[in-house]
Amino acid sequence: MSGRIIVGSAAALVVVGGVGAFALAHAGQQPPVVEHSTARYTAPADDRAGSFTFTADVTADSGVKSLKVLAWPADGPFAKTGLSEKELAAVEPATCTPAGGDTARCTYQVTVSAAEAAEAATGRWYVATLATADNGDTAFADQSATFTVG
């Protein structure tokens, strides 16, 4: 009888030990982190186009796959309905380059025409981000940065 208890206990230790090792192996892989975000809007003037630039450092243990960026007006439709990862799925990604270790410097830049600027809401704008790691983990933030139009 005591032999069965010892064998059963040893098997339980192997199972518990295996689960613990699995948990430790995955504990180091956290979702991506977006830090040091900056947003800059320059309005078009005379014969010069304007621009919007967003830059951030993205860190992910498994590597950075992409950073998607969406600028939205604070008093626009998302202020009432909320913004989610779904809205960022189809937007253009930023360009990400290695910045050392598990970090990439990601920059999104777009030209703003006079016609686009005239149609844009004035006031405070937010920048939403969706960072995706190479292992598929994601991190969403609806207000990674702010900037002012007008």
Side-chain angles (χ1 to χ4, degrees):
M1 175 116 156
S2 63
R4 284 186 279 170
I5 293 173
I6 292 172
V7 171
S9 297
L13 285 174
V14 170
V15 171
V16 171
V19 170
F22 178 79
L24 284 176
H26 289 282
Q29 295 207 358
Q30 301 297 318
V33 176
V34 178
E35 299 178 299
H36 312 295
S37 301
T38 59
R40 191 176 89 208
Y41 171 77
T42 303
D46 300 325
D47 61 346
R48 177 183 56 80
S51 65
F52 168 71
T53 304
F54 175 81
T55 303
D57 292 334
V58 181
T59 303
D61 294 337
S62 67
V64 177
K65 180 177 180 181
S66 67
L67 178 69
K68 297 207 174 180
V69 177
L70 178 65
W72 59 283
D75 61 353
F78 294 126
K80 296 175 184 140
T81 62
L83 187 65
S84 69
E85 290 184 31
K86 181 180 176 183
E87 284 82 20
L88 273 78
V91 301
E92 296 177 22
T95 300
C96 298
T97 57
D102 298 332
T103 302
R105 168 67 51 98
C106 299
T107 302
Y108 177 80
Q109 187 168 21
V110 63
T111 300
V112 179
S113 69
E116 291 168 327
E119 293 177 8
T122 58
R124 173 171 257 178
W125 283 60
Y126 298 115
V127 179
T129 56
L130 176 61
T132 304
D134 284 338
N135 67 0
D137 287 348
T138 61
F140 168 75
D142 62 350
Q143 297 179 20
S144 291
T146 62
F147 64 98
T148 303
V149 173

